[in-house]
């Protein structure tokens, strides 16, 4: 698979606004119909989710209450089903303070992390209850989908290990489901090491493979092409000497790192698989004052932009004139 780049928006992008408006109105009508019709009808025959979220990008956290007519079971399982494929994960069942029957579960998603081997598609969530050899299955009703919360962190939108994306959704009748997608093509930075000689960047590829890759360090009107090596399985590395990056004037020069392959397509190196809202502040890296051979002294500062892209800023020291 080759690199994939995003296409720029078409000049007539305003034509999409009416469609988005129609989709938004349709979603409101669908939600209203669900609440007024389907959810009341199914209340006594389904478990109601009081809490449902995927906070770390790969674990479904559930808290549900069983209908009053259902007694405390001996065992409970969360079942994910898509077509003929189904997987079950143990859940904890217990009585609440008012005698209600409650179920808690944490379902890890993704074969590569030791979880349920879901693949791309919509997976139905069901609750299976067992009494001895007898069992019954209940839908899990999701009255309100998870909403983003405010604060310095945010819900993970992708697995920090695989980059696979999972989100909670619901059917037209209100049944909860997991919608899974593969990782977006990206070059995820694992480590940045800064020395007096140069910058070393370790990174991994997600959702894409590169054929004969190299990296370009790009500033305004300048480009440094560097080879890419593989020091370990699933890990790539690029190094750039700092004596090739001195600023040409008094203004700072900002170097971005772009991974390329023989097709000419590209990926920006960055750090995006995280849950912080301000990567520039949280993932701050130390700066270093150096004097490259035959060059004026300068300050080198690796950092992440608000979008998560890696950037190396080189600034001439004031006393250098």
């Amino acid at each position: 698979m080759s690199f994939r780049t995003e296409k720029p928006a078409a000049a007539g992008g305003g034509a999409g606004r009416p469609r988005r408006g129609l989709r938004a109105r349709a979603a409101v009508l669908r939600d209203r119909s669900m609440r007024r019709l389907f959810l009341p009808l199914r209340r006594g025959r389904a478990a109601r989710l009081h809490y449902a979220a995927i906070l770390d990008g790969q674990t479904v956290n559930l808290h549900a209450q069983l209908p009053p007519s259902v007694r405390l079971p001996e065992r409970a399982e969360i079942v994910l089903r898509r077509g003929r494929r189904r997987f079950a994960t143990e859940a904890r069942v217990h009585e609440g303070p008012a005698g209600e029957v409650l179920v808690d579960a944490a379902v890890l998603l993704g074969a590569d992390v030791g979880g349920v081997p879901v693949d791309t598609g919509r997976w139905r969530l069901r609750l299976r209850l067992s009494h001895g050899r007898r069992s019954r299955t209940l839908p899990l009703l999701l009255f309100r989908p998870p909403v983003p919360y405010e604060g310095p962190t945010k819900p993970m939108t992708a697995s920090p290990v695989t980059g696979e994306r999972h989100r909670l959704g619901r059917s037209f009748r209100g049944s909860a489901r997991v919608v899974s997608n593969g990782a977006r093509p990206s070059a995820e930075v694992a480590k940045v090491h800064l020395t007096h000689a140069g910058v070393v960047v370790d990174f991994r590829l997600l959702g894409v493979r590169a054929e004969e890759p190299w990296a370009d360090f790009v500033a305004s009107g300048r480009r440094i092409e560097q080879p890419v090596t593989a020091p370990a399985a699933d890990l790539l590395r690029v190094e750039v000497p700092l004596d090739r990056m001195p600023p040409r004037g008094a203004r700072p020069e900002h170097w971005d790192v772009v991974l390329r392959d023989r097709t000419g397509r590209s990926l920006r190196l960055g750090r995006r698989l995280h849950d912080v809202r301000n990567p520039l502040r949280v993932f701050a890296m130390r700066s270093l004052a150096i004097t490259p051979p035959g060059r004026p002294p300068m300050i080198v500062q690796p950092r992440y932009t608000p979008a998560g892209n890696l950037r190396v800023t080189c600034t001439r020291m004031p006393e250098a004139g």
Side-chain angles (χ1 to χ4, degrees):
M1 181 178 180
S2 298
F3 294 142
R4 183 180 67 190
T5 54
E6 294 184 359
K7 296 182 179 179
R17 296 193 189 100
R19 288 194 293 270
R20 288 194 293 270
L22 288 173
R23 287 196 294 267
R25 288 193 290 272
V28 171
L29 291 174
R30 172 188 173 189
D31 186 74
R32 188 177 301 166
S33 299
M34 184 188 304
R35 291 178 180 276
R36 293 181 177 179
L37 179 62
F38 293 115
L39 294 182
L41 289 175
R42 305 180 72 196
R43 192 186 300 271
R45 296 178 287 113
R48 177 175 178 174
L49 284 166
H50 291 300
Y51 178 81
I54 304 177
L55 300 180
D56 64 351
Q58 58 190 17
T59 307
V60 183
N61 298 274
L62 304 172
H63 174 67
Q65 180 176 342
L66 302 189
S69 59
V70 178
R71 63 186 179 91
L72 187 69
E74 295 177 2
R75 299 183 308 280
E77 293 176 309
I78 300 297
V79 180
L80 284 87
R81 180 176 179 179
R82 179 171 177 261
R84 295 183 179 181
R85 301 179 64 195
R86 65 176 65 189
F87 304 99
T89 300
E90 185 178 359
R92 174 176 172 264
V93 60
H94 58 99
E95 285 191 358
E100 70 275 25
V101 182
L102 304 174
V103 175
D104 296 303
V107 183
L108 182 62
L109 302 176
D112 290 342
V113 295
V116 178
V118 297
D119 52 15
T120 299
R122 292 178 171 86
W123 293 81
R124 290 194 300 170
L125 283 170
R126 309 274 287 185
L127 176 63
R128 184 162 62 203
L129 308 174
S130 300
H131 297 272
R133 296 184 177 181
R134 301 180 60 183
S135 66
R136 62 180 297 189
T137 303
L138 298 176
L140 287 165
L141 295 186
L142 183 60
F143 277 62
R144 289 184 175 86
V147 295
Y149 52 81
E150 298 297 328
T153 62
K154 59 184 178 179
M156 290 282 291
T157 57
S159 165
V161 178
T162 65
E164 294 174 348
R165 295 163 290 153
H166 310 286
R167 64 176 178 87
L168 283 172
R170 54 183 176 175
S171 69
F172 186 76
R173 300 179 64 204
S175 296
R177 60 189 179 188
V178 172
V179 182
S180 296
N181 289 283
R184 287 193 176 97
S186 60
E188 181 74 7
V189 174
K191 184 179 180 181
V192 179
H193 185 55
L194 177 63
T195 70
H196 286 271
V199 182
V200 181
V201 183
D202 289 340
F203 63 97
R204 55 198 178 103
L205 293 181
L206 299 172
V208 67
R209 290 188 300 175
E211 298 179 6
E212 302 177 14
W214 72 90
D216 283 342
F217 287 74
V218 183
S220 56
R222 303 173 66 184
R223 182 174 70 90
I224 303 173
E225 182 179 315
Q226 291 295 104
V228 170
T229 60
D234 300 323
L235 189 69
L236 299 176
R237 173 176 293 172
V238 61
E239 305 179 38
V240 62
L242 291 175
D243 60 6
R244 300 182 64 187
M245 303 172 70
R248 292 175 295 184
R251 292 184 177 182
E253 285 195 339
H254 307 290
W255 295 85
D256 297 318
V257 191
V258 183
L259 184 71
R260 304 186 189 277
D261 73 352
R262 62 183 181 182
T263 69
R265 296 170 182 168
S266 60
L267 285 173
R268 292 278 294 274
L269 267 66
R271 187 169 179 179
R272 301 175 183 87
L273 298 181
H274 56 76
D275 62 352
V276 304
R277 297 188 186 275
N278 191 338
L280 174 60
R281 176 177 299 178
V282 176
F283 301 133
M285 291 176 275
R286 69 185 181 94
S287 61
L288 187 65
I290 71 164
T291 304
R295 303 284 188 176
M298 66 177 183
I299 298 174
V300 182
Q301 174 67 72
R303 61 188 177 88
Y304 295 101
T305 69
N309 296 319
L310 177 64
R311 179 167 290 171
V312 181
T313 298
C314 297
T315 308
R316 182 175 294 185
M317 295 183 68
E319 60 268 27

